[in-house]
Amino acid sequence: MECQTDGQTSSSTSLTGLRGLVLEGGGMRGIYTAGVLDVFMDKNLSFDGVIGVSAGAIHGCSFVSGQKGRSIRYYKKYGSDSRFMGWKNLLRTGEIVDEKFCYHEIPEVLDPYDYEAFNQSKTAFYVTCSNVETGEPEYLQITDMKSQIDLMRASASLPYVSHMVEADGMKLLDGGCTDSIPVEAFRKMGYTKTVVVLTRDRGYVKKPENEKLASIYYRHYPKFVEALKTRHTRYNETVKRIEELELEGKIFVIRPSHELTIGRTEHNPVKLQETYEMGRRDALCRMKDLMEWWNK
């Protein structure tokens, strides 16, 4: 298929149903999504609602606040800092990500997040979290990013290497544990004209997790243990459903054109830039098809 990389797009498109954007997580693979989202901002694409999971939420919030280029900028600048994400931080604090540094110092001081723009945006923003006590996903709307930052943090708090986040009366962890790609949940919420950005290439099949580790580590939360044990099955079923909806023309999917080889805790700024650029290229290559589908 020939890439279509030119032309600007108006956001005032007549659509059936609410326009939704679903963003898969995946650790540092999420910088691919940041590239896709920056192209969307270049093309003036807007959505009624955005739902992100883990890294998808991290990058999706900058899309809602209209801060093009912010994700790749601060990932490259601070990615090598052990407080950003690393095993040294895990040994020091018990968490692979330093809460104060990542969720306060960077967005509030070092690379300011536009809280006002987010709060005034007409785009509804949701994060997916996993309820550790029920073993079920929670789809939580953030209306004030600064005061509800713990919901964002919960969505990206990886199991085994993060403390549980207690927010809204729940014990929460990474949303990918229970619903990695919440397409069906978003469609049920009324977002029936939905674009999905994946961070796995076509043909990827998720393998089972270490059941023994889950049973030991989260032994006091049996429903969450069961969710971790069956995570691969749900993920693979979701991908199959996404492919069905895509063939039916009900959703539009942008996925990596080939496997992302970036590490889950990648620090190399060159590798980060390469992954980001792939996201941009893939989005630009799909733009003509996306707009034909968008305008139906």
Side-chain angles (χ1 to χ4, degrees), residues 41-253:
M41 282 189 267
D42 285 340
K43 301 297 183 180
N44 299 317
L45 288 179
S46 64
F47 297 83
D48 296 302
V50 175
I51 188 166
V53 182
S54 194
I58 295 293
H59 300 301
C61 72
S62 288
F63 175 75
V64 174
S65 64
Q67 292 179 271
K68 187 177 70 173
R70 180 174 181 271
S71 289
I72 185 61
R73 181 176 64 243
Y74 81 80
Y75 263 56
K76 287 173 64 178
K77 187 171 184 178
Y78 301 109
S80 60
D81 191 309
S82 63
R83 295 171 297 172
F84 189 81
M85 177 181 283
W87 303 113
K88 289 183 180 179
N89 195 65
L90 180 64
L91 293 173
R92 182 173 61 87
T93 68
E95 296 204 76
I96 199 166
V97 169
D98 187 296
E99 173 193 350
K100 183 178 180 181
F101 182 68
C102 291
Y103 294 100
H104 296 284
E105 190 171 346
I106 290 178
E108 294 174 13
V109 180
L110 299 177
D111 196 319
Y113 181 74
D114 195 336
Y115 295 102
E116 184 177 358
F118 175 88
N119 293 349
Q120 292 181 355
S121 174
K122 295 180 181 179
T123 300
F125 182 73
Y126 299 81
V127 296
T128 303
C129 302
S130 295
N131 188 317
V132 177
E133 294 177 309
T134 66
E136 297 292 331
E138 303 282 350
Y139 310 106
L140 306 171
Q141 185 175 2
I142 295 179
T143 56
D144 186 303
M145 182 58 69
K146 196 167 188 177
S147 67
Q148 294 177 284
I149 192 64
D150 281 347
L151 296 183
M152 172 70 73
R153 182 165 64 92
S155 182
S157 290
L158 301 171
Y160 309 116
V161 293
S162 304
H163 299 314
M164 296 178 197
V165 177
E166 296 195 23
D168 288 3
M170 298 175 285
K171 295 180 179 180
L172 304 169
L173 279 173
D174 188 339
C177 299
T178 50
D179 193 352
S180 296
I181 319 168
V183 174
E184 291 288 11
F186 221 34
R187 284 172 57 80
K188 289 178 181 178
M189 291 166 65
Y191 296 93
T192 54
K193 190 79 173 182
T194 302
V195 176
V196 181
V197 181
L198 304 179
T199 58
R200 292 291 192 182
D201 57 306
R202 188 183 292 276
Y204 171 79
V205 177
K206 193 170 187 63
K207 297 179 181 179
E209 302 203 12
N210 188 323
E211 294 189 8
K212 184 174 293 187
L213 179 62
S215 297
I216 294 172
Y217 205 91
Y218 294 108
R219 60 188 178 278
H220 298 303
Y221 303 96
K223 293 180 180 178
F224 187 60
V225 170
E226 185 61 25
L228 290 174
K229 289 180 178 180
T230 58
R231 180 181 182 180
H232 67 291
T233 300
R234 288 193 311 280
Y235 182 90
N236 295 332
E237 288 175 348
T238 297
V239 169
K240 182 179 179 181
R241 178 58 178 156
I242 285 172
E243 291 174 350
E244 292 172 350
L245 291 170
E246 184 181 18
L247 285 173
E248 294 169 3
K250 294 180 178 178
I251 65 174
F252 189 92
V253 181

Side-chain angles (χ1 to χ4, degrees), residues 7-63:
Q8 293 296 312
T9 301
S10 169
S11 62
S12 58
T13 306
S14 176
L15 298 169
T16 57
L18 294 174
R19 296 171 291 184
L21 178 61
V22 178
L23 307 172
E24 183 181 11
M28 290 299 190
R29 290 197 314 276
I31 204 65
Y32 170 89
T33 300
V36 174
L37 297 180
D38 281 356
V39 170
F40 285 1
M41 282 189 267
D42 285 340
K43 301 297 183 180
N44 299 317
L45 288 179
S46 64
F47 297 83
D48 296 302
V50 175
I51 188 166
V53 182
S54 194
I58 295 293
H59 300 301
C61 72
S62 288
F63 175 75

Side-chain angles (χ1 to χ4, degrees), residues 269-281:
V270 174
K271 195 70 175 179
L272 289 167
Q273 185 70 41
E274 289 175 349
T275 305
Y276 169 82
E277 293 297 340
M278 188 197 298
R280 286 192 59 89
R281 287 195 303 272

